[in-house]
């Protein structure tokens, strides 16, 4: 077996099909394809980390979550490459994209689901693809990494509101005093709850890097198209600014003020 055969390079390198003759469309395609490959690995690691936490194997989960943050740094740096695309250059091939948009990235939506942000209307986008819709619906109803982390708090001896331990995972978590109290105790007694403390900090790392990715996404879009409507009909920069205010793990940020 050769290097190219093992990596199936013939297939990968033949997957950049430009729709225009403009030089910079190749950049646009490759950046987004590379991002999707990194997101595939993020999902691979998050899924395994969720399973490891459920099995009370926190050390394995820490390694996986640490890898996720390293991948996120690669995704953030990708915006630096894409930002070399100027507005004039993008307009040369933008119309060829039709209604396709990064907002339709189903892997990104799966990452949001895995982190606990569930929005039912997202599923409607993929109804025409039965297999993909089933895959997303399964992820939509599955516990997020924060759900299983809250369960880890309960196993660690903390009182957690029973309703949280048997809740509908398709509903975006919005916070609970019992969880806030538990995390605060963890941070006030680091040596006693070292594993849970590490878990909390790994989650904060992931959300921190995700928000930095979102910010760079917003600024890159603003730099290239300003406040134009996105190709898929999204509100573009205005939407990207709005999601910056969303918190995946609210108690872990609020306790910074409470401690």
């Amino acid at each position: 077996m050769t290097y190219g055969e093992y990596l199936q390079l013939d297939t990968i390198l033949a997957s950049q099909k430009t729709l225009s003759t403009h030089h910079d469309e190749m950049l646009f395609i490759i950046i987004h394809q590379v991002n999707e490959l990194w997101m595939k690995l993020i999902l691979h690691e998050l899924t395994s980390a969720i399973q490891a936490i459920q099995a009370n194997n926190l050390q394995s989960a820490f390694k996986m979550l640490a890898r996720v943050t390293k991948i996120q740094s690669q995704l953030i740096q990708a915006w630096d490459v894409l930002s070399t695309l100027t507005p004039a250059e993008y307009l040369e091939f933008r119309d060829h994209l039709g209604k396709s948009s990064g907002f339709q990235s189903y892997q990104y939506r799966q990452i949001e689901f895995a982190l606990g942000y569930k929005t039912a209307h997202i599923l409607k986008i993929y109804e025409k693809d039965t297999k993909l819709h089933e895959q997303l619906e399964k992820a939509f109803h599955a516990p997020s990494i924060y759900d299983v982390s809250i369960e880890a708090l309960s196993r660690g001896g903390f009182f957690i509101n029973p309703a949280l331990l048997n809740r509908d995972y398709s509903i975006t978590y919005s916070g609970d005093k019992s969880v806030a109290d538990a995390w605060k105790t963890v941070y006030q007694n680091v040596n006693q709850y070292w594993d849970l403390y590490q878990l909390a900090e790994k989650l904060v790392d992931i959300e921190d890097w995700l928000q930095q990715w979102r910010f760079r996404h917003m600024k890159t879009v603003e730099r290239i198209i300003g406040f134009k409507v996105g190709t898929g009909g999204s509100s573009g920069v205005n939407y990207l600014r709005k999601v910056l205010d969303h918190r995946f793990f609210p108690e872990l940020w609020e306790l910074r003020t409470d401690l």
Side-chain angles (χ1 to χ4, degrees):
M1 182 183 293
T2 67
Y3 173 81
E5 288 170 339
Y6 176 67
L7 296 178
Q8 299 185 54
L9 289 183
D10 286 348
T11 300
I12 293 173
L13 298 179
S15 297
Q16 294 74 48
K17 310 291 187 183
T18 58
L19 298 178
S20 75
T21 58
H22 194 271
H23 172 82
D24 294 301
E25 189 183 357
M26 183 64 72
L27 161 70
F28 191 82
I29 291 173
I30 288 177
I31 284 291
H32 287 85
Q33 287 183 338
V34 169
N35 284 352
E36 290 293 333
L37 284 172
W38 280 129
M39 284 191 278
K40 181 175 183 177
L41 186 54
I42 286 177
L43 284 168
H44 176 70
E45 300 296 338
L46 281 178
T47 300
S48 294
I50 288 171
Q51 293 170 352
I53 295 169
Q54 287 176 314
N56 208 31
N57 185 5
L58 297 186
Q59 293 301 318
S60 293
F62 297 158
K63 175 64 183 293
M64 297 163 189
L65 296 178
R67 182 174 290 163
V68 169
T69 60
K70 293 299 183 181
I71 299 167
Q72 288 175 300
S73 71
Q74 296 297 310
L75 287 169
I76 291 169
Q77 290 178 37
W79 294 122
D80 293 337
V81 183
L82 187 60
S83 66
T84 63
L85 181 69
T86 69
E89 290 164 345
Y90 182 50
L91 287 174
E92 291 289 332
F93 63 87
R94 189 189 189 204
D95 287 345
H96 291 275
L97 304 180
K99 294 186 180 298
S100 64
S101 168
F103 290 97
Q104 298 161 352
S105 168
Y106 59 84
Q107 288 200 120
Y108 176 71
R109 298 305 180 184
Q110 284 179 280
I111 290 172
E112 286 189 327
F113 291 173
L115 296 178
Y117 184 52
K118 309 289 183 73
T119 46
H121 73 273
I122 292 298
L123 297 177
K124 296 180 180 179
I125 299 173
Y126 309 98
E127 283 180 335
K128 70 176 184 178
D129 187 330
T130 304
K131 185 177 179 180
L132 177 57
H133 186 267
E134 289 176 356
Q135 179 181 330
L136 284 164
E137 192 163 32
K138 181 179 178 181
F140 185 73
H141 290 283
S144 72
I145 196 158
Y146 200 48
D147 288 317
V148 299
S149 296
I150 291 172
E151 291 168 4
L153 285 172
S154 178
R155 288 196 304 271
F158 291 97
F159 169 76
I160 299 297
N161 181 352
L164 296 180
L165 303 176
N166 297 283
R167 75 184 197 90
D168 181 352
Y169 297 125
S170 68
I171 299 173
T172 299
Y173 177 78
S174 59
D176 187 273
K177 186 178 185 303
S178 65
V179 175
D181 290 342
W183 284 128
K184 186 173 182 179
T185 301
V186 168
Y187 274 75
Q188 289 174 329
N189 300 273
V190 172
N191 292 333
Q192 183 179 353
Y193 300 109
W194 179 250
D195 281 354
L196 290 170
Y197 173 72
Q198 282 186 289
L199 175 58
E201 284 299 293
K202 288 289 187 289
L203 294 178
V204 170
D205 286 342
I206 287 174
E207 179 161 352
D208 189 354
W209 281 102
L210 181 65
Q211 293 296 60
Q212 291 185 52
W213 180 86
R214 282 175 161 178
F215 179 78
R216 289 295 295 123
H217 186 186
M218 178 195 73
K219 296 306 293 183
T220 302
V221 171
E222 184 177 0
R223 176 172 176 156
I224 296 174
I225 69 169
F227 287 84
K228 291 186 181 73
V229 173
T231 48
S234 71
S235 58
V237 170
N238 288 325
Y239 170 81
L240 295 173
R241 281 184 173 175
K242 181 180 177 181
V243 297
L244 283 172
D245 292 329
H246 175 257
R247 289 275 170 84
F248 291 93
F249 319 129
E251 292 89 357
L252 293 179
W253 292 97
E254 291 163 3
L255 70 79
R256 265 85 181 150
T257 302
D258 295 337
L259 283 174

